[in-house]
Amino acid sequence: MIRNQKKHPIADPSPQRLREALEKGGCRFTRQRVAVYQYLASVESHPTAEEVYAAIRPEMPRISLATVYKALDALVVCNLANKLTFSDGPARYDCHDEAHYHLRCVKTGKVCDLPTPFDPDLIDKLDPKLVKSLGERGFHVTGYRLEVLGHFEKT
Amino acid sequence: MIRNQKKHPIADPSPQRLREALEKGGCRFTRQRVAVYQYLASVESHPTAEEVYAAIRPEMPRISLATVYKALDALVVCNLANKLTFSDGPARYDCHDEAHYHLRCVKTGKVCDLPTPFDPDLIDKLDPKLVKSLGERGFHVTGYRLEVLGHFEKT
DNA sequence: ATCGATGCAAAGCGTTTGCAGGGGT
DNA sequence: ACCCCTGCAAACGCTTTGCATCGAT
């Protein structure tokens, strides 16, 4: 049984909750992180760091792309966001509260969520001994990630 | 049912078969591609382009890294190899015929194969209507990827 | 006051591309 | 002879880093 499958209890974009979660993770509460987090919470898509940067700049013109990367890292560390990283192209981020599967277009790199219910025990169903045997070797399984790959018929 | 889940019918490193597969894919048969392919077929690991380059250089000192990348691309195009891309770190290649799952350490980014048998029909088992309903929307599913995530107990 | 975070620029890494010359068909 | 492939170097895209300053605690 996989415990601690990534969940994101705080999809609420309110700064108070963000503050608590950042502090719990040992990170400071800053304007830049509020902006990044609120943007992430406001969109359905899974934006890249560049897209977050472009979206935030109009209201915060002096923010740097490096800061966006660092803010996104902080959110991931504090378990406020996911970094989706097993594809070509730039990493994408989300801060939704339910674990879910993703659909990725191998031609454009775009990602969207699948409606399929997430099964926290899928790994055990695939291989009932796996998590235990990895544990015996010192590897602690915290979750898994599944992407369905394909493309739209027309080029 | 997912069709064309990556299979590699030609794991045989013989140049004759390589030649046929390259020609079928519209690619020329060259010494460099033979070297890359034979090295890939000779190892258990999933080497990076750099590793292939380093392994081949002693016997072919004038080969360039760019050529290794292009040769690997040609093998992938001709369905002779797989390209495995993970977020952190370089792409890795294999030319074995079995798809498999991966284990990734969220702290170090290291990836290794899992012994768990690959189930080509997993998506249908998770959600029997998904592939069909995506097809009706013009999305052609070609495969899926699954990574088990975690870390070693001690940092 | 402390020490992490910011913003800028520059470097880093893996990969791709432009081009002149070489090699497969 | 054709045109793809090679090898070199330079550029590329994404991300991280070094450093002086700023700002949250």
Side-chain angles (χ1 to χ4, degrees):
Chain A
M1 183 66 163
I2 297 170
R3 305 188 186 286
N4 286 331
Q5 175 66 36
K6 267 189 190 166
K7 294 264 166 87
H8 302 289
I10 304 166
D12 178 342
S14 82
Q16 295 77 8
R17 297 215 166 169
L18 173 61
R19 166 171 235 132
E20 285 172 24
L22 284 171
E23 284 171 357
K24 186 180 289 184
C27 294
R28 287 183 179 168
F29 178 78
T30 66
R31 293 183 311 120
Q32 290 84 348
R33 289 169 180 182
V34 171
V36 168
Y37 178 63
Q38 289 194 337
Y39 176 69
L40 211 54
S42 75
V43 292
E44 291 287 315
S45 65
H46 297 67
T48 64
E50 287 276 4
E51 288 166 355
V52 173
Y53 176 58
I56 286 176
R57 273 188 98 169
E59 291 160 20
M60 194 177 272
R62 297 189 52 84
I63 195 171
S64 71
L65 181 56
T67 297
V68 171
Y69 274 105
K70 289 168 193 167
L72 288 167
D73 279 353
L75 295 180
V76 171
V77 164
C78 297
N79 205 32
L80 288 160
N82 267 336
K83 184 178 184 179
L84 308 175
T85 57
F86 56 134
S87 56
D88 276 327
R92 292 177 174 273
Y93 297 82
D94 76 63
C95 67
H96 299 307
D97 45 6
E98 305 237 329
H100 49 257
Y101 304 125
H102 293 102
L103 182 71
R104 181 164 62 87
C105 177
V106 296
K107 292 186 177 168
T108 67
K110 291 228 170 156
V111 175
C112 65
D113 296 347
L114 287 177
T116 305
F118 187 86
D119 180 355
D121 299 324
L122 180 66
I123 300 306
D124 292 314
K125 289 176 185 166
L126 268 176
D127 188 343
K129 296 172 190 160
L130 182 66
V131 172
K132 190 176 163 224
S133 89
L134 289 171
E136 285 162 2
R137 296 181 196 182
F139 193 91
H140 181 228
V141 174
T142 56
Y144 76 95
R145 186 165 289 171
L146 186 152
E147 271 188 1
V148 175
L149 308 173
H151 55 83
F152 287 95
E153 308 287 359
K154 78 166 171 68
T155 37
Chain B
M1 183 66 162
I2 297 170
R3 304 188 187 288
N4 287 331
Q5 179 68 36
K6 282 176 199 164
K7 295 262 163 92
H8 302 290
I10 304 166
D12 179 342
S14 82
Q16 294 78 8
R17 297 215 165 168
L18 172 61
R19 167 172 234 132
E20 286 171 23
L22 285 171
E23 285 171 357
K24 186 180 287 184
C27 295
R28 287 184 178 168
F29 177 78
T30 66
R31 293 184 311 121
Q32 290 84 348
R33 288 169 181 182
V34 171
V36 168
Y37 178 63
Q38 290 194 337
Y39 176 69
L40 211 53
S42 76
V43 292
E44 292 286 316
S45 64
H46 301 307
T48 64
E50 287 276 3
E51 288 166 356
V52 173
Y53 176 58
I56 286 176
R57 273 188 97 168
E59 291 160 20
M60 193 176 272
R62 297 187 54 83
I63 195 171
S64 73
L65 181 56
T67 296
V68 170
Y69 274 105
K70 289 168 192 166
L72 288 166
D73 279 353
L75 296 179
V76 171
V77 164
C78 297
N79 205 32
L80 289 160
N82 265 338
K83 182 178 185 179
L84 308 172
T85 58
F86 306 103
S87 67
D88 297 335
R92 292 177 172 274
Y93 296 83
D94 75 64
C95 66
H96 300 306
D97 38 14
E98 296 153 22
H100 47 254
Y101 305 124
H102 293 103
L103 182 72
R104 182 159 62 88
C105 177
V106 297
K107 291 186 178 167
T108 67
K110 289 216 173 167
V111 174
C112 64
D113 295 347
L114 288 177
T116 305
F118 187 85
D119 180 355
D121 298 323
L122 180 66
I123 300 306
D124 293 314
K125 289 176 185 165
L126 268 176
D127 187 344
K129 296 173 189 162
L130 181 66
V131 172
K132 191 176 162 222
S133 88
L134 289 171
E136 285 163 1
R137 296 182 197 183
F139 193 91
H140 181 229
V141 174
T142 56
Y144 76 94
R145 298 188 58 180
L146 186 149
E147 271 186 2
V148 175
L149 308 173
H151 55 83
F152 288 95
E153 306 289 356
K154 194 55 211 123
T155 319

